[in-house]
Amino acid sequence: MDFSSDFTMTIDGEAVAGDATLEVVNPAQGAAFATAPDCSRAQLDSAVAAAKTAFPAWAATPEADRRALVHALGQAILDNVEGLTQLLTREQGKPLFEAKIEIVSMGKLLQAQSTIEIPVHVAEDNAHRIVETRHVPLGVVGAISPWNFPLLLSAFKIGPALVTGNTMVLKPSPFTPLSTLKIGEIARSILPPGVLNVVSGGDDLGPWLTGHPGIDKISFTGSTQTGKRVLANAAADLKRVTLELGGNDAAIVLPDVDVAAVADKLFWSAFGNNGQICIATKRLYIHESIYEPLKTAIVAYAARMKVGDGAEQGTRLGPINNRPQYDRVKSLIQDARENGYNFLLGGEVQNTESAGYFMPITLIDNPPDDSRIVQEEQFGPVLPLMSYSTIDEVVARANDCAFGLAGSVWSQDDDAAVEVARRLDTGTVFINHDQYLSPFAAFGGHKESGIGVEGGVEGLLEYTQTQTLVRKKQPA
Ligand code: NAD
């Protein structure tokens, strides 16, 4: 397969060019390098119609066969890691090593999801009756993914939706459509026509999808702001929704950590994928007794990291993915500068109109709790470091936030760390652990970080509705 050109949508198992095209920019160069189809409304209608037509036969396909096909899709992705890696780096900006991890994770995630069983719950079984609840598919799922992990986050939707017997219309971000279009192309030879349709387009396509009367459920990953629009649009005909939204995760470092050992781990918890991770550390709270040495160790480690084109050997952090996000992160840095906060590293943003969207690693020293950099989700390589005195105080500061996606606690005392973790109002807490999403565990946000979950049995069931059968026991 050619991964450098010929980007087509997949509708009803066929390659479909756009009625128009949209340019895709390589963020390391700030210049377009390819075009993707710009799906028209009529083309979206045909994708939804194809998914609807394919649904009854797919839902009736034995579960074991659906699992096997999802597993096979995962394998086909693993067989195409090299080509997909190059392409993902070109459109997303992340270093090749991170692009490869994402693609391998996508293949393995689909394979893991294909092993999760759809439960049947027997609520009563007595002399009079059997009451049994099973989980049946919803129909056509409209899936919308963001640009930070276009492939992995699509896999979180494709696997459970298809295993449970739904069909799908998948829409990647206009900033990163190409590798997802290639996944559609790979799937053409594996899945029956219409089961997985992939469409790409501009800003209208998302609202068309969420408002489409032929769609039964929206599975959305993206910002909280957009998530609220999705929910409003989906309300018109009571579409089911799963919303995986933004975060402002706190990392809490207890006084007993080994400063030298933990500095690089904390750095990567915040700066992996150039800070563009929903569950990245976005606020770092360090106990006052170790604030100075830990901050010095993190600055020293960060200063050694090479920021550059993700396609170049040795690059550890790539560019920001797109211009609007670059401008957003830049405005947070400018705000910190205007308010006179102390920069431990970085803070100088070049004013470039055409070159790549590179941003220096920026560490800010103890900004106030009400500053923009503490209150807002930065989603870029900028991190506020703050000192705290007591556990009660830091837990209150961490929870004083509209988001509730994830967080982390760092300590040599596992029990003490777990105790703090349990007090955090977030869907996931990592304890001395890097960000890890298990295919077998629920992942979702509290508060404005989302509705519903992905992963595990709970995530699988988000693509189903219940049907309870109440059967009278026949006399023996
Ligand atoms: P975004 O909300 O701008 O876009 C996400 C997707 O929604 C894109 O495909 C976009 O084209 C589409 N879209 C835009 N407007 C729409 C509308 N009105 N209706 C329907 N679809 C629309 O988000 P982004 O900038 O691509 O991603 C970054 C955000 O995503 C961050 O806030 C991050 O925290 C969040 N995120 C959350 C998770 C999670 O699992 N909770 C994972 C990754 C990213």
Side-chain angles (χ1 to χ4, degrees), residues 144-149 153 171-175 201-203 205-207 210 220-224 226-227 229-230 233 244-247 277-278 282 322 325 377 379 405 443 449 454:
I144 300 177
S145 49
W147 46 259
N148 61 334
F149 287 90
L153 297 173
K171 187 203 91 63
S173 164
F175 296 114
D203 290 344
L205 188 56
T210 56
F220 172 84
T221 301
S223 64
T224 293
T226 309
R229 291 196 198 111
V230 168
N233 222 14
E244 295 287 351
L245 308 179
I277 303 184
C278 54
K282 291 169 184 149
N322 58 74
Q325 184 59 18
E377 179 185 38
F379 220 64
L405 193 57
F443 167 73
S449 288
E454 293 188 323

Side-chain angles (χ1 to χ4, degrees), residues 108-193:
K108 290 191 169 167
L109 179 65
L110 288 168
Q111 295 190 331
Q113 288 163 333
S114 76
T115 66
I116 303 174
E117 307 244 320
I118 307 171
V120 175
H121 175 58
V122 179
E124 277 190 44
D125 184 355
N126 53 41
H128 308 290
R129 68 188 72 88
I130 301 176
V131 180
E132 190 180 82
T133 300
R134 65 191 195 106
H135 299 274
V136 299
L138 292 160
V140 179
V141 174
I144 300 177
S145 49
W147 46 259
N148 61 334
F149 287 90
L151 295 184
L152 184 60
L153 297 173
S154 297
F156 266 102
K157 306 179 186 314
I158 297 169
L162 268 49
V163 162
T164 48
N166 302 274
T167 56
M168 176 174 277
V169 178
L170 169 64
K171 187 203 91 63
S173 164
F175 296 114
T176 53
L178 302 178
S179 42
T180 312
L181 290 167
K182 288 293 170 189
I183 298 297
E185 192 176 330
I186 289 171
R188 280 176 215 154
S189 60
I190 297 169
L191 299 170

